[in-house]
PDB file of all heavy atoms in Angstrom:
ATOM      1  N   GLY A   1       0.776  -1.234   0.020  1.00 95.00           N
ATOM      2  CA  GLY A   1      -0.028  -0.012  -0.014  1.00 95.00           C
ATOM      3  C   GLY A   1       0.789   1.287  -0.010  1.00 95.00           C
ATOM      4  O   GLY A   1       0.318   2.339   0.256  1.00 95.00           O
ATOM      5  N   ARG A   2       2.046   1.106  -0.355  1.00 94.00           N
ATOM      6  CA  ARG A   2       2.912   2.359  -0.338  1.00 94.00           C
ATOM      7  C   ARG A   2       4.180   2.020  -1.217  1.00 94.00           C
ATOM      8  O   ARG A   2       4.515   0.883  -1.539  1.00 94.00           O
ATOM      9  CB  ARG A   2       3.306   2.813   1.094  1.00 94.00           C
ATOM     10  CG  ARG A   2       4.188   1.708   1.817  1.00 94.00           C
ATOM     11  CD  ARG A   2       4.529   2.169   3.247  1.00 94.00           C
ATOM     12  NE  ARG A   2       5.468   1.132   3.846  1.00 94.00           N
ATOM     13  CZ  ARG A   2       6.761   1.214   3.749  1.00 94.00           C
ATOM     14  NH1 ARG A   2       7.354   2.102   3.049  1.00 94.00           N
ATOM     15  NH2 ARG A   2       7.470   0.257   4.334  1.00 94.00           N
ATOM     16  N   VAL A   3       4.958   3.089  -1.456  1.00 95.00           N
ATOM     17  CA  VAL A   3       6.212   2.919  -2.187  1.00 95.00           C
ATOM     18  C   VAL A   3       7.348   3.346  -1.214  1.00 95.00           C
ATOM     19  O   VAL A   3       7.586   4.505  -0.956  1.00 95.00           O
ATOM     20  CB  VAL A   3       6.248   3.843  -3.411  1.00 95.00           C
ATOM     21  CG1 VAL A   3       7.604   3.689  -4.179  1.00 95.00           C
ATOM     22  CG2 VAL A   3       5.109   3.499  -4.344  1.00 95.00           C
ATOM     23  N   GLY A   4       7.963   2.341  -0.637  1.00 93.00           N
ATOM     24  CA  GLY A   4       9.051   2.577   0.309  1.00 93.00           C
ATOM     25  C   GLY A   4      10.350   2.918  -0.458  1.00 93.00           C
ATOM     26  O   GLY A   4      10.439   3.032  -1.734  1.00 93.00           O
ATOM     27  N   VAL A   5      11.464   3.053   0.287  1.00 95.00           N
ATOM     28  CA  VAL A   5      12.737   3.481  -0.180  1.00 95.00           C
ATOM     29  C   VAL A   5      13.283   2.404  -1.149  1.00 95.00           C
ATOM     30  O   VAL A   5      13.671   2.734  -2.264  1.00 95.00           O
ATOM     31  CB  VAL A   5      13.724   3.705   0.981  1.00 95.00           C
ATOM     32  CG1 VAL A   5      15.134   3.948   0.389  1.00 95.00           C
ATOM     33  CG2 VAL A   5      13.255   4.804   1.828  1.00 95.00           C
ATOM     34  N   ARG A   6      13.176   1.185  -0.753  1.00 95.00           N
ATOM     35  CA  ARG A   6      13.723   0.086  -1.662  1.00 95.00           C
ATOM     36  C   ARG A   6      12.855  -0.030  -2.963  1.00 95.00           C
ATOM     37  O   ARG A   6      13.444  -0.080  -4.000  1.00 95.00           O
ATOM     38  CB  ARG A   6      13.671  -1.288  -0.901  1.00 95.00           C
ATOM     39  CG  ARG A   6      14.176  -2.405  -1.765  1.00 95.00           C
ATOM     40  CD  ARG A   6      13.956  -3.681  -1.003  1.00 95.00           C
ATOM     41  NE  ARG A   6      12.484  -4.056  -0.874  1.00 95.00           N
ATOM     42  CZ  ARG A   6      11.674  -4.532  -1.823  1.00 95.00           C
ATOM     43  NH1 ARG A   6      12.119  -4.749  -3.053  1.00 95.00           N
ATOM     44  NH2 ARG A   6      10.418  -4.832  -1.465  1.00 95.00           N
ATOM     45  N   MET A   7      11.560   0.088  -2.811  1.00 95.00           N
ATOM     46  CA  MET A   7      10.723   0.060  -4.008  1.00 95.00           C
ATOM     47  C   MET A   7      11.014   1.196  -4.900  1.00 95.00           C
ATOM     48  O   MET A   7      11.040   1.028  -6.126  1.00 95.00           O
ATOM     49  CB  MET A   7       9.266   0.156  -3.517  1.00 95.00           C
ATOM     50  CG  MET A   7       8.297   0.052  -4.613  1.00 95.00           C
ATOM     51  SD  MET A   7       8.220  -1.575  -5.457  1.00 95.00           S
ATOM     52  CE  MET A   7       7.835  -2.643  -4.119  1.00 95.00           C
ATOM     53  N   ARG A   8      11.163   2.372  -4.389  1.00 96.00           N
ATOM     54  CA  ARG A   8      11.505   3.551  -5.189  1.00 96.00           C
ATOM     55  C   ARG A   8      12.879   3.351  -5.879  1.00 96.00           C
ATOM     56  O   ARG A   8      12.903   3.679  -7.072  1.00 96.00           O
ATOM     57  CB  ARG A   8      11.546   4.777  -4.295  1.00 96.00           C
ATOM     58  CG  ARG A   8      11.644   6.092  -5.077  1.00 96.00           C
ATOM     59  CD  ARG A   8      11.559   7.363  -4.135  1.00 96.00           C
ATOM     60  NE  ARG A   8      10.432   7.333  -3.191  1.00 96.00           N
ATOM     61  CZ  ARG A   8      10.540   7.221  -1.881  1.00 96.00           C
ATOM     62  NH1 ARG A   8      11.709   7.148  -1.308  1.00 96.00           N
ATOM     63  NH2 ARG A   8       9.469   7.140  -1.162  1.00 96.00           N
ATOM     64  N   ARG A   9      13.811   2.779  -5.216  1.00 97.00           N
ATOM     65  CA  ARG A   9      15.062   2.476  -5.913  1.00 97.00           C
ATOM     66  C   ARG A   9      14.954   1.577  -6.995  1.00 97.00           C
ATOM     67  O   ARG A   9      15.488   1.746  -8.057  1.00 97.00           O
ATOM     68  CB  ARG A   9      16.074   2.027  -4.738  1.00 97.00           C
ATOM     69  CG  ARG A   9      17.434   1.752  -5.402  1.00 97.00           C
ATOM     70  CD  ARG A   9      18.541   1.285  -4.353  1.00 97.00           C
ATOM     71  NE  ARG A   9      17.981   0.474  -3.254  1.00 97.00           N
ATOM     72  CZ  ARG A   9      17.690  -0.854  -3.252  1.00 97.00           C
ATOM     73  NH1 ARG A   9      17.935  -1.511  -4.392  1.00 97.00           N
ATOM     74  NH2 ARG A   9      17.250  -1.489  -2.163  1.00 97.00           N
ATOM     75  N   GLU A  10      14.248   0.453  -6.755  1.00 96.00           N
ATOM     76  CA  GLU A  10      14.059  -0.545  -7.796  1.00 96.00           C
ATOM     77  C   GLU A  10      13.251  -0.117  -9.022  1.00 96.00           C
ATOM     78  O   GLU A  10      13.618  -0.389 -10.154  1.00 96.00           O
ATOM     79  CB  GLU A  10      13.378  -1.842  -7.182  1.00 96.00           C
ATOM     80  CG  GLU A  10      14.302  -2.583  -6.268  1.00 96.00           C
ATOM     81  CD  GLU A  10      13.648  -3.838  -5.672  1.00 96.00           C
ATOM     82  OE1 GLU A  10      12.729  -4.371  -6.319  1.00 96.00           O
ATOM     83  OE2 GLU A  10      14.107  -4.245  -4.594  1.00 96.00           O
ATOM     84  N   LEU A  11      12.262   0.710  -8.715  1.00 96.00           N
ATOM     85  CA  LEU A  11      11.487   1.259  -9.876  1.00 96.00           C
ATOM     86  C   LEU A  11      12.329   2.339 -10.638  1.00 96.00           C
ATOM     87  O   LEU A  11      12.264   2.275 -11.929  1.00 96.00           O
ATOM     88  CB  LEU A  11      10.229   2.041  -9.382  1.00 96.00           C
ATOM     89  CG  LEU A  11       9.059   1.151  -9.044  1.00 96.00           C
ATOM     90  CD1 LEU A  11       8.002   1.863  -8.282  1.00 96.00           C
ATOM     91  CD2 LEU A  11       8.477   0.594 -10.325  1.00 96.00           C
ATOM     92  N   THR A  12      13.132   3.072  -9.932  1.00 96.00           N
ATOM     93  CA  THR A  12      14.073   4.019 -10.569  1.00 96.00           C
ATOM     94  C   THR A  12      15.019   3.298 -11.502  1.00 96.00           C
ATOM     95  O   THR A  12      15.238   3.635 -12.651  1.00 96.00           O
ATOM     96  CB  THR A  12      14.676   4.937  -9.635  1.00 96.00           C
ATOM     97  OG1 THR A  12      13.691   5.625  -8.892  1.00 96.00           O
ATOM     98  CG2 THR A  12      15.623   5.905 -10.287  1.00 96.00           C
ATOM     99  N   GLU A  13      15.574   2.218 -10.916  1.00 96.00           N
ATOM    100  CA  GLU A  13      16.597   1.462 -11.715  1.00 96.00           C
ATOM    101  C   GLU A  13      15.964   0.849 -12.950  1.00 96.00           C
ATOM    102  O   GLU A  13      16.475   0.814 -13.985  1.00 96.00           O
ATOM    103  CB  GLU A  13      17.176   0.361 -10.835  1.00 96.00           C
ATOM    104  CG  GLU A  13      18.062   0.854  -9.796  1.00 96.00           C
ATOM    105  CD  GLU A  13      18.561  -0.185  -8.778  1.00 96.00           C
ATOM    106  OE1 GLU A  13      18.163  -1.389  -8.957  1.00 96.00           O
ATOM    107  OE2 GLU A  13      19.305   0.112  -7.856  1.00 96.00           O
ATOM    108  N   LEU A  14      14.733   0.335 -12.775  1.00 96.00           N
ATOM    109  CA  LEU A  14      14.004  -0.226 -13.933  1.00 96.00           C
ATOM    110  C   LEU A  14      13.660   0.797 -14.975  1.00 96.00           C
ATOM    111  O   LEU A  14      13.896   0.626 -16.185  1.00 96.00           O
ATOM    112  CB  LEU A  14      12.679  -0.880 -13.426  1.00 96.00           C
ATOM    113  CG  LEU A  14      11.832  -1.476 -14.559  1.00 96.00           C
ATOM    114  CD1 LEU A  14      12.498  -2.597 -15.328  1.00 96.00           C
ATOM    115  CD2 LEU A  14      10.418  -1.949 -13.882  1.00 96.00           C
ATOM    116  N   LEU A  15      13.299   1.950 -14.661  1.00 95.00           N
ATOM    117  CA  LEU A  15      12.995   3.084 -15.515  1.00 95.00           C
ATOM    118  C   LEU A  15      14.245   3.394 -16.292  1.00 95.00           C
ATOM    119  O   LEU A  15      14.097   3.752 -17.477  1.00 95.00           O
ATOM    120  CB  LEU A  15      12.417   4.283 -14.775  1.00 95.00           C
ATOM    121  CG  LEU A  15      11.030   4.100 -14.269  1.00 95.00           C
ATOM    122  CD1 LEU A  15      10.627   5.341 -13.434  1.00 95.00           C
ATOM    123  CD2 LEU A  15       9.980   3.865 -15.355  1.00 95.00           C
ATOM    124  N   HIS A  16      15.442   3.387 -15.668  1.00 95.00           N
ATOM    125  CA  HIS A  16      16.606   3.738 -16.358  1.00 95.00           C
ATOM    126  C   HIS A  16      17.074   2.780 -17.397  1.00 95.00           C
ATOM    127  O   HIS A  16      17.732   3.103 -18.417  1.00 95.00           O
ATOM    128  CB  HIS A  16      17.774   4.046 -15.375  1.00 95.00           C
ATOM    129  CG  HIS A  16      17.648   5.219 -14.608  1.00 95.00           C
ATOM    130  ND1 HIS A  16      17.839   6.454 -15.185  1.00 95.00           N
ATOM    131  CD2 HIS A  16      17.431   5.566 -13.372  1.00 95.00           C
ATOM    132  CE1 HIS A  16      17.704   7.458 -14.415  1.00 95.00           C
ATOM    133  NE2 HIS A  16      17.535   6.899 -13.150  1.00 95.00           N
ATOM    134  N   VAL A  17      16.659   1.529 -17.304  1.00 95.00           N
ATOM    135  CA  VAL A  17      17.087   0.433 -18.259  1.00 95.00           C
ATOM    136  C   VAL A  17      16.061   0.280 -19.358  1.00 95.00           C
ATOM    137  O   VAL A  17      16.352  -0.397 -20.361  1.00 95.00           O
ATOM    138  CB  VAL A  17      17.436  -0.896 -17.618  1.00 95.00           C
ATOM    139  CG1 VAL A  17      18.641  -0.720 -16.651  1.00 95.00           C
ATOM    140  CG2 VAL A  17      16.241  -1.518 -16.876  1.00 95.00           C
ATOM    141  N   LEU A  18      14.884   0.745 -19.119  1.00 94.00           N
ATOM    142  CA  LEU A  18      13.818   0.605 -20.220  1.00 94.00           C
ATOM    143  C   LEU A  18      14.178   1.390 -21.433  1.00 94.00           C
ATOM    144  O   LEU A  18      14.538   2.675 -21.350  1.00 94.00           O
ATOM    145  CB  LEU A  18      12.444   1.030 -19.716  1.00 94.00           C
ATOM    146  CG  LEU A  18      11.800   0.176 -18.714  1.00 94.00           C
ATOM    147  CD1 LEU A  18      10.433   0.744 -18.227  1.00 94.00           C
ATOM    148  CD2 LEU A  18      11.554  -1.274 -19.180  1.00 94.00           C
ATOM    149  N   PRO A  19      14.152   0.898 -22.623  1.00 94.00           N
ATOM    150  CA  PRO A  19      14.517   1.595 -23.834  1.00 94.00           C
ATOM    151  C   PRO A  19      13.467   2.431 -24.361  1.00 94.00           C
ATOM    152  O   PRO A  19      13.155   2.383 -25.720  1.00 94.00           O
ATOM    153  CB  PRO A  19      14.995   0.459 -24.828  1.00 94.00           C
ATOM    154  CG  PRO A  19      14.139  -0.701 -24.481  1.00 94.00           C
ATOM    155  CD  PRO A  19      13.982  -0.611 -22.928  1.00 94.00           C
ATOM    156  N   ALA A  20      12.846   3.319 -23.618  1.00 92.00           N
ATOM    157  CA  ALA A  20      11.661   4.046 -24.058  1.00 92.00           C
ATOM    158  C   ALA A  20      12.115   5.068 -25.167  1.00 92.00           C
ATOM    159  O   ALA A  20      11.380   5.304 -26.092  1.00 92.00           O
ATOM    160  CB  ALA A  20      10.985   4.774 -22.868  1.00 92.00           C
ATOM    161  N   MET A  21      13.231   5.669 -24.968  1.00 92.00           N
ATOM    162  CA  MET A  21      13.705   6.721 -25.982  1.00 92.00           C
ATOM    163  C   MET A  21      13.920   5.961 -27.256  1.00 92.00           C
ATOM    164  O   MET A  21      13.646   6.460 -28.333  1.00 92.00           O
ATOM    165  CB  MET A  21      14.865   7.462 -25.501  1.00 92.00           C
ATOM    166  CG  MET A  21      14.614   8.297 -24.204  1.00 92.00           C
ATOM    167  SD  MET A  21      13.233   9.439 -24.345  1.00 92.00           S
ATOM    168  CE  MET A  21      13.992  10.706 -25.306  1.00 92.00           C
ATOM    169  N   SER A  22      14.554   4.851 -27.204  1.00 93.00           N
ATOM    170  CA  SER A  22      14.850   4.071 -28.466  1.00 93.00           C
ATOM    171  C   SER A  22      13.527   3.744 -29.067  1.00 93.00           C
ATOM    172  O   SER A  22      13.389   3.752 -30.334  1.00 93.00           O
ATOM    173  CB  SER A  22      15.595   2.744 -28.129  1.00 93.00           C
ATOM    174  OG  SER A  22      16.852   3.093 -27.647  1.00 93.00           O
ATOM    175  N   LEU A  23      12.486   3.328 -28.322  1.00 95.00           N
ATOM    176  CA  LEU A  23      11.242   2.991 -28.885  1.00 95.00           C
ATOM    177  C   LEU A  23      10.683   4.116 -29.733  1.00 95.00           C
ATOM    178  O   LEU A  23      10.229   3.980 -30.841  1.00 95.00           O
ATOM    179  CB  LEU A  23      10.282   2.499 -27.796  1.00 95.00           C
ATOM    180  CG  LEU A  23       8.855   2.147 -28.263  1.00 95.00           C
ATOM    181  CD1 LEU A  23       8.791   0.883 -29.183  1.00 95.00           C
ATOM    182  CD2 LEU A  23       7.955   1.782 -27.120  1.00 95.00           C
ATOM    183  N   HIS A  24      10.639   5.217 -29.096  1.00 95.00           N
ATOM    184  CA  HIS A  24      10.081   6.447 -29.737  1.00 95.00           C
ATOM    185  C   HIS A  24      10.900   6.794 -31.028  1.00 95.00           C
ATOM    186  O   HIS A  24      10.320   7.011 -32.071  1.00 95.00           O
ATOM    187  CB  HIS A  24      10.130   7.630 -28.778  1.00 95.00           C
ATOM    188  CG  HIS A  24       9.545   8.892 -29.372  1.00 95.00           C
ATOM    189  ND1 HIS A  24      10.297   9.837 -30.006  1.00 95.00           N
ATOM    190  CD2 HIS A  24       8.196   9.241 -29.499  1.00 95.00           C
ATOM    191  CE1 HIS A  24       9.541  10.755 -30.403  1.00 95.00           C
ATOM    192  NE2 HIS A  24       8.218  10.470 -30.162  1.00 95.00           N
ATOM    193  N   ALA A  25      12.254   6.720 -30.921  1.00 94.00           N
ATOM    194  CA  ALA A  25      13.069   7.069 -32.037  1.00 94.00           C
ATOM    195  C   ALA A  25      12.840   6.061 -33.165  1.00 94.00           C
ATOM    196  O   ALA A  25      12.777   6.407 -34.369  1.00 94.00           O
ATOM    197  CB  ALA A  25      14.518   7.033 -31.645  1.00 94.00           C
ATOM    198  N   GLU A  26      12.704   4.741 -32.858  1.00 95.00           N
ATOM    199  CA  GLU A  26      12.499   3.722 -33.906  1.00 95.00           C
ATOM    200  C   GLU A  26      11.169   3.859 -34.627  1.00 95.00           C
ATOM    201  O   GLU A  26      10.988   3.624 -35.727  1.00 95.00           O
ATOM    202  CB  GLU A  26      12.755   2.351 -33.350  1.00 95.00           C
ATOM    203  CG  GLU A  26      14.268   2.191 -33.153  1.00 95.00           C
ATOM    204  CD  GLU A  26      14.580   1.060 -32.191  1.00 95.00           C
ATOM    205  OE1 GLU A  26      13.697   0.275 -31.728  1.00 95.00           O
ATOM    206  OE2 GLU A  26      15.787   0.971 -31.809  1.00 95.00           O
ATOM    207  N   ILE A  27      10.144   4.265 -33.775  1.00 96.00           N
ATOM    208  CA  ILE A  27       8.766   4.390 -34.368  1.00 96.00           C
ATOM    209  C   ILE A  27       8.836   5.623 -35.343  1.00 96.00           C
ATOM    210  O   ILE A  27       8.308   5.520 -36.494  1.00 96.00           O
ATOM    211  CB  ILE A  27       7.703   4.522 -33.291  1.00 96.00           C
ATOM    212  CG1 ILE A  27       7.553   3.245 -32.604  1.00 96.00           C
ATOM    213  CG2 ILE A  27       6.489   5.117 -33.867  1.00 96.00           C
ATOM    214  CD1 ILE A  27       6.608   3.340 -31.265  1.00 96.00           C
ATOM    215  N   GLU A  28       9.467   6.731 -34.897  1.00 96.00           N
ATOM    216  CA  GLU A  28       9.553   7.863 -35.759  1.00 96.00           C
ATOM    217  C   GLU A  28      10.361   7.516 -37.063  1.00 96.00           C
ATOM    218  O   GLU A  28      10.008   7.946 -38.178  1.00 96.00           O
ATOM    219  CB  GLU A  28      10.187   9.022 -34.963  1.00 96.00           C
ATOM    220  CG  GLU A  28       9.309   9.650 -33.922  1.00 96.00           C
ATOM    221  CD  GLU A  28       8.003  10.176 -34.537  1.00 96.00           C
ATOM    222  OE1 GLU A  28       8.087  10.930 -35.537  1.00 96.00           O
ATOM    223  OE2 GLU A  28       6.965   9.922 -33.884  1.00 96.00           O
ATOM    224  N   ALA A  29      11.396   6.779 -36.900  1.00 94.00           N
ATOM    225  CA  ALA A  29      12.243   6.428 -38.098  1.00 94.00           C
ATOM    226  C   ALA A  29      11.453   5.570 -39.069  1.00 94.00           C
ATOM    227  O   ALA A  29      11.525   5.773 -40.286  1.00 94.00           O
ATOM    228  CB  ALA A  29      13.515   5.735 -37.605  1.00 94.00           C
ATOM    229  N   LEU A  30      10.640   4.594 -38.490  1.00 96.00           N
ATOM    230  CA  LEU A  30       9.908   3.853 -39.355  1.00 96.00           C
ATOM    231  C   LEU A  30       8.828   4.615 -40.082  1.00 96.00           C
ATOM    232  O   LEU A  30       8.581   4.421 -41.328  1.00 96.00           O
ATOM    233  CB  LEU A  30       9.261   2.639 -38.621  1.00 96.00           C
ATOM    234  CG  LEU A  30       8.477   1.593 -39.385  1.00 96.00           C
ATOM    235  CD1 LEU A  30       9.261   1.016 -40.534  1.00 96.00           C
ATOM    236  CD2 LEU A  30       7.969   0.453 -38.493  1.00 96.00           C
TER     237      LEU A  30
END
């Protein structure tokens, strides 16, 4: 029912490795 320190750290780490910018760039290129 909350986002603790560990959870915040893990979510932040996950967000950093997701290739979201690549996804956008590849869609635009296509």
Side-chain angles (χ1 to χ4, degrees):
R2 65 184 183 85
V3 178
V5 174
R6 181 188 59 80
M7 180 69 58
R8 191 175 307 114
R9 179 178 34 82
E10 289 183 23
L11 277 169
T12 301
E13 289 172 3
L14 177 61
L15 290 173
H16 283 294
V17 298
L18 291 176
M21 299 304 284
S22 294
L23 179 64
H24 182 265
E26 287 160 7
I27 289 171
E28 289 298 317
L30 183 52

